[in-house]
PDB file of all heavy atoms in Angstrom:
ATOM      1  N   PRO A 150       0.818  -1.226   0.000  1.00 64.00           N
ATOM      2  CA  PRO A 150       0.000   0.000   0.000  1.00 64.00           C
ATOM      3  C   PRO A 150       0.844   1.264   0.000  1.00 64.00           C
ATOM      4  O   PRO A 150       2.014   1.263   0.379  1.00 64.00           O
ATOM      5  CB  PRO A 150      -0.813  -0.124   1.302  1.00 64.00           C
ATOM      6  CG  PRO A 150      -0.884  -1.588   1.553  1.00 64.00           C
ATOM      7  CD  PRO A 150       0.424  -2.149   1.080  1.00 64.00           C
ATOM      8  N   ASP A 151       0.214   2.363  -0.450  1.00 66.00           N
ATOM      9  CA  ASP A 151       0.867   3.673  -0.507  1.00 66.00           C
ATOM     10  C   ASP A 151       2.074   3.669  -1.440  1.00 66.00           C
ATOM     11  O   ASP A 151       3.064   4.384  -1.203  1.00 66.00           O
ATOM     12  CB  ASP A 151       1.298   4.138   0.891  1.00 66.00           C
ATOM     13  CG  ASP A 151       0.102   4.331   1.809  1.00 66.00           C
ATOM     14  OD1 ASP A 151      -0.975   4.698   1.300  1.00 66.00           O
ATOM     15  OD2 ASP A 151       0.245   4.100   3.020  1.00 66.00           O
ATOM     16  N   ARG A 152       2.010   2.841  -2.478  1.00 70.00           N
ATOM     17  CA  ARG A 152       3.076   2.781  -3.499  1.00 70.00           C
ATOM     18  C   ARG A 152       4.435   2.380  -2.920  1.00 70.00           C
ATOM     19  O   ARG A 152       5.480   2.702  -3.478  1.00 70.00           O
ATOM     20  CB  ARG A 152       3.193   4.135  -4.225  1.00 70.00           C
ATOM     21  CG  ARG A 152       1.953   4.527  -5.003  1.00 70.00           C
ATOM     22  CD  ARG A 152       2.155   5.825  -5.749  1.00 70.00           C
ATOM     23  NE  ARG A 152       2.439   6.928  -4.839  1.00 70.00           N
ATOM     24  CZ  ARG A 152       2.718   8.162  -5.250  1.00 70.00           C
ATOM     25  NH1 ARG A 152       2.778   8.448  -6.540  1.00 70.00           N
ATOM     26  NH2 ARG A 152       2.960   9.107  -4.371  1.00 70.00           N
ATOM     27  N   ARG A 153       4.424   1.680  -1.828  1.00 71.00           N
ATOM     28  CA  ARG A 153       5.666   1.183  -1.237  1.00 71.00           C
ATOM     29  C   ARG A 153       6.053  -0.133  -1.889  1.00 71.00           C
ATOM     30  O   ARG A 153       5.212  -0.860  -2.433  1.00 71.00           O
ATOM     31  CB  ARG A 153       5.488   0.981   0.271  1.00 71.00           C
ATOM     32  CG  ARG A 153       5.140   2.259   1.018  1.00 71.00           C
ATOM     33  CD  ARG A 153       6.307   3.192   1.097  1.00 71.00           C
ATOM     34  NE  ARG A 153       6.030   4.367   1.896  1.00 71.00           N
ATOM     35  CZ  ARG A 153       6.944   5.246   2.273  1.00 71.00           C
ATOM     36  NH1 ARG A 153       8.208   5.076   1.925  1.00 71.00           N
ATOM     37  NH2 ARG A 153       6.614   6.296   2.985  1.00 71.00           N
ATOM     38  N   VAL A 154       7.333  -0.427  -1.828  1.00 75.00           N
ATOM     39  CA  VAL A 154       7.831  -1.665  -2.429  1.00 75.00           C
ATOM     40  C   VAL A 154       8.824  -2.334  -1.485  1.00 75.00           C
ATOM     41  O   VAL A 154       9.469  -1.672  -0.666  1.00 75.00           O
ATOM     42  CB  VAL A 154       8.509  -1.397  -3.798  1.00 75.00           C
ATOM     43  CG1 VAL A 154       7.513  -0.848  -4.801  1.00 75.00           C
ATOM     44  CG2 VAL A 154       9.696  -0.456  -3.649  1.00 75.00           C
ATOM     45  N   LEU A 155       8.912  -3.631  -1.618  1.00 77.00           N
ATOM     46  CA  LEU A 155       9.915  -4.412  -0.906  1.00 77.00           C
ATOM     47  C   LEU A 155      10.736  -5.192  -1.918  1.00 77.00           C
ATOM     48  O   LEU A 155      10.185  -5.831  -2.820  1.00 77.00           O
ATOM     49  CB  LEU A 155       9.246  -5.395   0.067  1.00 77.00           C
ATOM     50  CG  LEU A 155       8.863  -4.877   1.451  1.00 77.00           C
ATOM     51  CD1 LEU A 155       8.202  -5.988   2.247  1.00 77.00           C
ATOM     52  CD2 LEU A 155      10.084  -4.351   2.185  1.00 77.00           C
ATOM     53  N   VAL A 156      12.045  -5.109  -1.765  1.00 83.00           N
ATOM     54  CA  VAL A 156      12.928  -5.881  -2.630  1.00 83.00           C
ATOM     55  C   VAL A 156      13.149  -7.250  -1.989  1.00 83.00           C
ATOM     56  O   VAL A 156      13.582  -7.340  -0.831  1.00 83.00           O
ATOM     57  CB  VAL A 156      14.274  -5.154  -2.840  1.00 83.00           C
ATOM     58  CG1 VAL A 156      15.194  -5.994  -3.715  1.00 83.00           C
ATOM     59  CG2 VAL A 156      14.032  -3.782  -3.474  1.00 83.00           C
ATOM     60  N   VAL A 157      12.840  -8.295  -2.737  1.00 86.00           N
ATOM     61  CA  VAL A 157      12.965  -9.663  -2.237  1.00 86.00           C
ATOM     62  C   VAL A 157      13.857 -10.446  -3.188  1.00 86.00           C
ATOM     63  O   VAL A 157      13.591 -10.507  -4.400  1.00 86.00           O
ATOM     64  CB  VAL A 157      11.585 -10.346  -2.118  1.00 86.00           C
ATOM     65  CG1 VAL A 157      11.745 -11.760  -1.561  1.00 86.00           C
ATOM     66  CG2 VAL A 157      10.647  -9.515  -1.251  1.00 86.00           C
ATOM     67  N   ASP A 158      14.902 -11.003  -2.655  1.00 86.00           N
ATOM     68  CA  ASP A 158      15.795 -11.856  -3.459  1.00 86.00           C
ATOM     69  C   ASP A 158      15.407 -13.317  -3.234  1.00 86.00           C
ATOM     70  O   ASP A 158      15.321 -13.772  -2.090  1.00 86.00           O
ATOM     71  CB  ASP A 158      17.250 -11.632  -3.057  1.00 86.00           C
ATOM     72  CG  ASP A 158      18.207 -12.411  -3.940  1.00 86.00           C
ATOM     73  OD1 ASP A 158      18.466 -13.588  -3.610  1.00 86.00           O
ATOM     74  OD2 ASP A 158      18.675 -11.841  -4.939  1.00 86.00           O
ATOM     75  N   VAL A 159      15.166 -14.026  -4.320  1.00 85.00           N
ATOM     76  CA  VAL A 159      14.717 -15.431  -4.227  1.00 85.00           C
ATOM     77  C   VAL A 159      15.755 -16.385  -4.828  1.00 85.00           C
ATOM     78  O   VAL A 159      15.435 -17.536  -5.141  1.00 85.00           O
ATOM     79  CB  VAL A 159      13.356 -15.603  -4.935  1.00 85.00           C
ATOM     80  CG1 VAL A 159      12.284 -14.784  -4.227  1.00 85.00           C
ATOM     81  CG2 VAL A 159      13.455 -15.187  -6.406  1.00 85.00           C
ATOM     82  N   LYS A 160      16.976 -15.902  -4.974  1.00 85.00           N
ATOM     83  CA  LYS A 160      18.002 -16.712  -5.636  1.00 85.00           C
ATOM     84  C   LYS A 160      18.977 -17.321  -4.624  1.00 85.00           C
ATOM     85  O   LYS A 160      20.192 -17.377  -4.866  1.00 85.00           O
ATOM     86  CB  LYS A 160      18.770 -15.854  -6.642  1.00 85.00           C
ATOM     87  CG  LYS A 160      17.870 -15.272  -7.731  1.00 85.00           C
ATOM     88  CD  LYS A 160      18.662 -14.375  -8.673  1.00 85.00           C
ATOM     89  CE  LYS A 160      17.767 -13.770  -9.738  1.00 85.00           C
ATOM     90  NZ  LYS A 160      18.516 -12.855 -10.637  1.00 85.00           N
ATOM     91  N   THR A 161      18.454 -17.769  -3.531  1.00 86.00           N
ATOM     92  CA  THR A 161      19.317 -18.397  -2.531  1.00 86.00           C
ATOM     93  C   THR A 161      19.935 -19.686  -3.097  1.00 86.00           C
ATOM     94  O   THR A 161      19.211 -20.576  -3.552  1.00 86.00           O
ATOM     95  CB  THR A 161      18.512 -18.738  -1.268  1.00 86.00           C
ATOM     96  OG1 THR A 161      17.870 -17.558  -0.787  1.00 86.00           O
ATOM     97  CG2 THR A 161      19.421 -19.304  -0.188  1.00 86.00           C
ATOM     98  N   PRO A 162      21.250 -19.802  -3.101  1.00 86.00           N
ATOM     99  CA  PRO A 162      21.887 -21.028  -3.620  1.00 86.00           C
ATOM    100  C   PRO A 162      21.652 -22.218  -2.676  1.00 86.00           C
ATOM    101  O   PRO A 162      21.900 -22.119  -1.472  1.00 86.00           O
ATOM    102  CB  PRO A 162      23.365 -20.653  -3.698  1.00 86.00           C
ATOM    103  CG  PRO A 162      23.537 -19.537  -2.701  1.00 86.00           C
ATOM    104  CD  PRO A 162      22.235 -18.795  -2.665  1.00 86.00           C
ATOM    105  N   LEU A 163      21.159 -23.312  -3.224  1.00 89.00           N
ATOM    106  CA  LEU A 163      20.836 -24.504  -2.419  1.00 89.00           C
ATOM    107  C   LEU A 163      21.600 -25.750  -2.862  1.00 89.00           C
ATOM    108  O   LEU A 163      21.321 -26.865  -2.394  1.00 89.00           O
ATOM    109  CB  LEU A 163      19.325 -24.777  -2.495  1.00 89.00           C
ATOM    110  CG  LEU A 163      18.414 -23.638  -2.010  1.00 89.00           C
ATOM    111  CD1 LEU A 163      16.957 -24.005  -2.253  1.00 89.00           C
ATOM    112  CD2 LEU A 163      18.669 -23.333  -0.544  1.00 89.00           C
ATOM    113  N   ASP A 164      22.557 -25.595  -3.745  1.00 91.00           N
ATOM    114  CA  ASP A 164      23.275 -26.763  -4.276  1.00 91.00           C
ATOM    115  C   ASP A 164      23.991 -27.522  -3.162  1.00 91.00           C
ATOM    116  O   ASP A 164      23.957 -28.779  -3.122  1.00 91.00           O
ATOM    117  CB  ASP A 164      24.287 -26.322  -5.336  1.00 91.00           C
ATOM    118  CG  ASP A 164      23.592 -25.744  -6.564  1.00 91.00           C
ATOM    119  OD1 ASP A 164      22.387 -26.026  -6.753  1.00 91.00           O
ATOM    120  OD2 ASP A 164      24.243 -25.004  -7.331  1.00 91.00           O
ATOM    121  N   ALA A 165      24.660 -26.798  -2.249  1.00 91.00           N
ATOM    122  CA  ALA A 165      25.415 -27.464  -1.183  1.00 91.00           C
ATOM    123  C   ALA A 165      24.468 -28.234  -0.269  1.00 91.00           C
ATOM    124  O   ALA A 165      24.799 -29.347   0.193  1.00 91.00           O
ATOM    125  CB  ALA A 165      26.211 -26.438  -0.392  1.00 91.00           C
ATOM    126  N   TYR A 166      23.305 -27.686   0.005  1.00 91.00           N
ATOM    127  CA  TYR A 166      22.338 -28.396   0.851  1.00 91.00           C
ATOM    128  C   TYR A 166      21.872 -29.689   0.180  1.00 91.00           C
ATOM    129  O   TYR A 166      21.762 -30.736   0.825  1.00 91.00           O
ATOM    130  CB  TYR A 166      21.147 -27.500   1.158  1.00 91.00           C
ATOM    131  CG  TYR A 166      20.102 -28.162   2.030  1.00 91.00           C
ATOM    132  CD1 TYR A 166      20.232 -28.149   3.408  1.00 91.00           C
ATOM    133  CD2 TYR A 166      19.016 -28.825   1.458  1.00 91.00           C
ATOM    134  CE1 TYR A 166      19.293 -28.774   4.216  1.00 91.00           C
ATOM    135  CE2 TYR A 166      18.068 -29.455   2.253  1.00 91.00           C
ATOM    136  CZ  TYR A 166      18.215 -29.417   3.635  1.00 91.00           C
ATOM    137  OH  TYR A 166      17.281 -30.061   4.431  1.00 91.00           O
ATOM    138  N   LEU A 167      21.597 -29.621  -1.114  1.00 90.00           N
ATOM    139  CA  LEU A 167      21.165 -30.825  -1.830  1.00 90.00           C
ATOM    140  C   LEU A 167      22.275 -31.879  -1.843  1.00 90.00           C
ATOM    141  O   LEU A 167      22.003 -33.091  -1.778  1.00 90.00           O
ATOM    142  CB  LEU A 167      20.751 -30.444  -3.252  1.00 90.00           C
ATOM    143  CG  LEU A 167      19.538 -29.496  -3.345  1.00 90.00           C
ATOM    144  CD1 LEU A 167      19.253 -29.144  -4.805  1.00 90.00           C
ATOM    145  CD2 LEU A 167      18.321 -30.109  -2.688  1.00 90.00           C
ATOM    146  N   GLU A 168      23.528 -31.434  -1.910  1.00 91.00           N
ATOM    147  CA  GLU A 168      24.643 -32.379  -1.823  1.00 91.00           C
ATOM    148  C   GLU A 168      24.684 -33.048  -0.454  1.00 91.00           C
ATOM    149  O   GLU A 168      24.993 -34.252  -0.343  1.00 91.00           O
ATOM    150  CB  GLU A 168      25.956 -31.646  -2.090  1.00 91.00           C
ATOM    151  CG  GLU A 168      26.119 -31.180  -3.542  1.00 91.00           C
ATOM    152  CD  GLU A 168      27.421 -30.430  -3.742  1.00 91.00           C
ATOM    153  OE1 GLU A 168      28.229 -30.377  -2.780  1.00 91.00           O
ATOM    154  OE2 GLU A 168      27.636 -29.889  -4.851  1.00 91.00           O
ATOM    155  N   ALA A 169      24.372 -32.260   0.583  1.00 91.00           N
ATOM    156  CA  ALA A 169      24.361 -32.846   1.932  1.00 91.00           C
ATOM    157  C   ALA A 169      23.263 -33.904   2.047  1.00 91.00           C
ATOM    158  O   ALA A 169      23.442 -34.941   2.708  1.00 91.00           O
ATOM    159  CB  ALA A 169      24.158 -31.742   2.969  1.00 91.00           C
ATOM    160  N   VAL A 170      22.140 -33.657   1.410  1.00 89.00           N
ATOM    161  CA  VAL A 170      21.052 -34.644   1.453  1.00 89.00           C
ATOM    162  C   VAL A 170      21.464 -35.934   0.757  1.00 89.00           C
ATOM    163  O   VAL A 170      21.134 -37.051   1.214  1.00 89.00           O
ATOM    164  CB  VAL A 170      19.785 -34.046   0.805  1.00 89.00           C
ATOM    165  CG1 VAL A 170      18.689 -35.118   0.668  1.00 89.00           C
ATOM    166  CG2 VAL A 170      19.275 -32.859   1.628  1.00 89.00           C
ATOM    167  N   ASP A 171      22.221 -35.829  -0.314  1.00 88.00           N
ATOM    168  CA  ASP A 171      22.637 -37.009  -1.079  1.00 88.00           C
ATOM    169  C   ASP A 171      23.950 -37.619  -0.577  1.00 88.00           C
ATOM    170  O   ASP A 171      24.462 -38.568  -1.194  1.00 88.00           O
ATOM    171  CB  ASP A 171      22.781 -36.632  -2.558  1.00 88.00           C
ATOM    172  CG  ASP A 171      21.442 -36.223  -3.176  1.00 88.00           C
ATOM    173  OD1 ASP A 171      20.398 -36.676  -2.661  1.00 88.00           O
ATOM    174  OD2 ASP A 171      21.437 -35.446  -4.160  1.00 88.00           O
ATOM    175  N   ALA A 172      24.521 -37.049   0.485  1.00 88.00           N
ATOM    176  CA  ALA A 172      25.833 -37.531   0.966  1.00 88.00           C
ATOM    177  C   ALA A 172      25.724 -38.979   1.439  1.00 88.00           C
ATOM    178  O   ALA A 172      24.723 -39.389   2.016  1.00 88.00           O
ATOM    179  CB  ALA A 172      26.332 -36.635   2.090  1.00 88.00           C
ATOM    180  N   LYS A 173      26.817 -39.762   1.207  1.00 88.00           N
ATOM    181  CA  LYS A 173      26.843 -41.169   1.575  1.00 88.00           C
ATOM    182  C   LYS A 173      27.293 -41.404   3.010  1.00 88.00           C
ATOM    183  O   LYS A 173      27.002 -42.437   3.593  1.00 88.00           O
ATOM    184  CB  LYS A 173      27.776 -41.925   0.625  1.00 88.00           C
ATOM    185  CG  LYS A 173      27.390 -41.806  -0.841  1.00 88.00           C
ATOM    186  CD  LYS A 173      25.983 -42.369  -1.100  1.00 88.00           C
ATOM    187  CE  LYS A 173      25.626 -42.284  -2.590  1.00 88.00           C
ATOM    188  NZ  LYS A 173      24.267 -42.832  -2.852  1.00 88.00           N
ATOM    189  N   ASP A 174      28.016 -40.427   3.552  1.00 90.00           N
ATOM    190  CA  ASP A 174      28.511 -40.593   4.922  1.00 90.00           C
ATOM    191  C   ASP A 174      28.353 -39.267   5.668  1.00 90.00           C
ATOM    192  O   ASP A 174      28.109 -38.221   5.079  1.00 90.00           O
ATOM    193  CB  ASP A 174      29.968 -41.053   4.919  1.00 90.00           C
ATOM    194  CG  ASP A 174      30.858 -40.143   4.092  1.00 90.00           C
ATOM    195  OD1 ASP A 174      31.113 -38.994   4.558  1.00 90.00           O
ATOM    196  OD2 ASP A 174      31.252 -40.537   2.966  1.00 90.00           O
ATOM    197  N   GLU A 175      28.534 -39.349   6.963  1.00 89.00           N
ATOM    198  CA  GLU A 175      28.314 -38.178   7.815  1.00 89.00           C
ATOM    199  C   GLU A 175      29.342 -37.084   7.566  1.00 89.00           C
ATOM    200  O   GLU A 175      29.012 -35.890   7.617  1.00 89.00           O
ATOM    201  CB  GLU A 175      28.368 -38.610   9.280  1.00 89.00           C
ATOM    202  CG  GLU A 175      28.063 -37.511  10.288  1.00 89.00           C
ATOM    203  CD  GLU A 175      26.647 -36.966  10.127  1.00 89.00           C
ATOM    204  OE1 GLU A 175      25.776 -37.696   9.597  1.00 89.00           O
ATOM    205  OE2 GLU A 175      26.408 -35.795  10.523  1.00 89.00           O
TER     206      GLU A 175
END
């Protein structure tokens, strides 16, 4: 409202997290 804006970045890198999910060992 009132012509206000919010800048939102949605490009959070998640590759390392997905690698952790697929990891074979701790």
